[in-house]
Amino acid sequence: MEDCRPIATPMENRLKLAKREESKRTMLPYRELVGCIMYVSLTSRPDLAAAVNYFSQFQACPNDEHWVHLRRILRYVKATLELGLMYQGGTDRPLLEVFTDVDWASDIVDRRSVSGAVFKVFGTTVSWMARKHATVSLSSTEAELVALCAEACHLGLLDLGLSNNGPVPYHEDNQSTIKIVSNSKDPGR
């Protein structure tokens, strides 16, 4: 892939691949490539997290079509080798803040949602995640609430040795979810 043609995105927009049957399994090193890209995604490239999450679900029985789309990530990496995380001090940003979004019922097979989050300390990205939900959400609001709960648990695991003097800002775009979490009353009444 050293001489591959660079590309601007790690995967096609609205890509919907189906799981395949065992008879069409590829013998190419699909799992190994997913593992390599996952390592890079977990250590230094949050921009690859969603694509790795998507292609990981086909590891049980990948075919040649999956392989072609997975290799696109390498073309993207070639185009973005200069990208990286930048750590800087002395900002006036909040100590902690979380950015989140959900792709509601995006999987064409099981209709489960995929959520992503970026965790920042003083405006610098320190952690990120992209996860497929364990359950099917009946609405986009429910999917966003499930994601917020998972992200709050993840935030609790981030032991930064710093004390936060107030609430952690969560940046959320679903208006129904914002209304529910802003309301101090029990939503079941």
Side-chain angles (χ1 to χ4, degrees), residues 16 102-107 111-114 136-144:
K16 304 289 184 196
V102 175
D103 189 2
W104 175 51
S106 59
D107 190 299
R111 305 310 293 168
R112 290 190 288 166
S113 305
V114 176
V136 175
S137 296
L138 300 177
S139 68
S140 61
T141 301
E142 182 182 351
E144 298 274 357

Side-chain angles (χ1 to χ4, degrees), residues 3-179:
D3 298 324
C4 68
R5 185 173 46 100
I7 198 157
T9 59
M11 60 188 281
E12 291 176 19
N13 190 23
R14 304 194 196 291
L15 179 64
K16 304 289 184 196
L17 295 175
K19 293 184 170 124
R20 301 295 184 193
E21 52 213 53
E22 186 66 34
S23 63
K24 296 184 179 181
R25 174 191 282 270
T26 184
M27 298 314 291
L28 296 166
Y30 187 88
R31 288 181 181 177
E32 291 84 351
L33 182 54
V34 167
C36 291
I37 297 170
M38 184 178 294
Y39 175 77
V40 173
S41 168
L42 292 172
T43 58
S44 62
R45 294 290 299 262
D47 56 329
L48 301 178
V52 170
N53 175 275
Y54 182 76
F55 289 108
S56 292
Q57 68 184 323
F58 303 111
Q59 290 187 85
C61 190
N63 65 16
D64 291 332
E65 181 182 16
H66 297 127
W67 175 254
V68 168
H69 288 284
L70 179 63
R71 286 181 37 168
R72 179 187 173 110
I73 297 174
L74 297 178
R75 294 174 55 205
Y76 169 74
V77 169
K78 178 165 182 153
T80 58
L81 285 173
E82 74 285 350
L83 289 183
L85 296 174
M86 187 173 200
Y87 297 98
Q88 55 193 7
T91 68
D92 58 350
R93 302 291 304 251
L95 171 64
L96 289 168
E97 58 185 332
V98 181
F99 295 83
T100 181
D101 202 9
V102 175
D103 189 2
W104 175 51
S106 59
D107 190 299
I108 59 173
V109 175
D110 62 15
R111 305 310 293 168
R112 290 190 288 166
S113 305
V114 176
S115 62
V118 174
F119 302 85
K120 294 189 170 211
V121 174
F122 297 121
T124 299
T125 300
V126 295
S127 184
W128 51 90
M129 59 189 254
R131 299 230 169 97
K132 186 181 233 186
H133 294 190
T135 58
V136 175
S137 296
L138 300 177
S139 68
S140 61
T141 301
E142 182 182 351
E144 298 274 357
L145 288 168
V146 168
L148 286 174
C149 183
E151 290 146 14
C153 292
H154 184 80
L155 188 61
L157 296 175
L158 291 177
D159 184 15
L160 302 170
L162 301 169
S163 61
N164 196 25
N165 296 336
V168 175
Y170 276 76
H171 300 276
E172 168 67 48
D173 64 351
N174 184 291
Q175 295 303 308
S176 298
T177 302
I178 293 169
K179 187 171 183 179

